[in-house]
Amino acid sequence: MHDDDEPVGRVLGRRQALILLGAAGATLAAAGSATANATPSTAGAPEVCALDCVVKPEQMEGPYFVDERLNRSDIRSEPATGQLVPGTALALNFTIQQIRQQVCTPLPGAMIDLWQCDAFGLYSDIPSQGSSGRRFLRGYQNTDQAGVARFTTILPGWYTGRTLHIHIKIRTVGTNGRPYEFTSQLYFTPEFGAAYLRTDPYRRKGPADTTNNRDSIYRSGGAQMLLRPQQVGTTYTADFAIGLDLSNTQVGRPD
């Protein structure tokens, strides 16, 4: 397929979304340039994490998002049958925070949608792919009081014209009281992707025809959205923390 992620959304600049990369106690870099010391937690105050925050881009939604409203953490199965799609398991652990008054605090109740193709490049519930009514590799979770949501999925396959990727959409409420959406895509290093594509069941399709440096979507900020999975037995796990400026109405507009 050539039509995934055609410009039906928008790619936003570095000053239009925030993703958290640091550890507690680091300095908060506001808007990627000016810095300010985050206020430490005090007794009786909400828990505050002072993290190193750098600006990251939102990326386009693409034509394969389907709002299934399928609330589940393990998105590997086809709900109608319970059968798991083939592929290497990947545990994704998200921490969602909000940037307020130059500090980062957990964002509970945010809705995180995850969707992706299977090991052979097929999306579910897409008529043009003959998968109408199927809902594998789709689902959402709401963040808990610590801003955490966990998913179990598989390492994605590939299809013509795109590098390996997973889609993510976060929906919450902005500071203006209106719905707020952050949509982007998650990627893998070329070395990691090439290695797992040589394993079953992925190797049946062979190497991907498009790598990160040849993917036009990846080149618009994808290097800032890289997952770095760690192997745990026969599966993989990856942590990813995202901080949102809920006052940024340009990012928050529906995608």
Side-chain angles (χ1 to χ4, degrees):
M1 297 294 294
H2 289 276
D3 59 346
D4 183 35
D5 302 321
E6 287 183 347
V8 296
R10 62 192 188 280
V11 176
L12 301 180
R14 285 179 55 82
R15 294 182 180 274
Q16 295 173 315
L18 293 170
I19 182 167
L20 308 181
L21 293 180
T27 301
L28 172 66
S33 54
T35 61
N37 290 327
T39 304
S41 300
T42 57
E47 182 181 355
V48 172
C49 294
L51 301 180
D52 179 23
C53 303
V54 295
V55 182
K56 297 291 182 178
E58 194 177 37
Q59 291 195 322
M60 60 185 61
E61 177 181 282
Y64 294 152
F65 174 65
V66 183
D67 199 1
E68 304 281 9
R69 301 281 171 161
L70 189 59
N71 186 349
R72 58 180 185 164
S73 61
D74 190 336
I75 68 172
R76 294 176 295 170
S77 66
E78 170 52 50
T81 65
Q83 184 175 0
L84 298 180
V85 297
T88 300
L90 171 66
L92 285 176
N93 309 309
F94 294 100
T95 299
I96 311 302
Q97 303 219 359
Q98 58 185 321
I99 313 301
R100 271 194 313 195
Q101 298 178 343
Q102 297 184 328
V103 296
C104 308
T105 58
L107 181 61
M111 179 180 181
I112 307 179
D113 267 286
L114 218 62
W115 71 103
Q116 65 177 83
C117 69
D118 68 7
F120 310 107
L122 180 72
Y123 283 88
S124 66
D125 212 5
I126 301 298
S128 64
Q129 296 194 0
S131 57
S132 294
R134 303 174 68 188
R135 297 191 291 171
F136 58 83
L137 296 176
R138 296 183 184 274
Y140 82 88
Q141 285 286 282
N142 292 320
T143 56
D144 62 17
Q145 289 302 306
V148 172
R150 306 181 191 278
F151 290 87
T152 302
T153 184
I154 65 167
L155 297 173
W158 65 273
Y159 50 96
T160 301
R162 286 304 319 274
T163 193
L164 300 164
H165 65 282
I166 295 173
H167 296 268
I168 181 173
K169 180 189 290 288
I170 303 170
R171 288 181 277 193
T172 184
V173 178
T175 56
N176 59 3
R178 296 180 180 178
Y180 179 105
E181 290 187 9
F182 173 84
T183 305
S184 199
Q185 300 180 33
L186 306 170
Y187 301 93
F188 304 88
T189 65
E191 297 77 16
F192 180 81
Y196 83 73
L197 289 179
R198 291 193 293 266
T199 67
D200 287 328
Y202 305 93
R203 65 179 178 181
R204 300 177 204 170
K205 193 171 180 179
D209 73 349
T210 304
T211 54
N212 289 354
N213 62 1
R214 296 179 57 196
D215 186 298
S216 61
I217 310 299
Y218 177 86
R219 291 200 303 266
S220 297
Q224 303 168 67
M225 303 298 291
L226 282 170
L227 292 172
R228 299 191 181 275
Q230 301 296 313
Q231 190 165 9
V232 181
T234 59
T235 67
Y236 289 87
T237 184
D239 300 328
F240 205 77
I242 300 177
L244 301 174
D245 178 0
L246 299 183
S247 67
N248 190 326
T249 57
Q250 183 174 5
V251 170
R253 287 191 305 232
D255 298 304

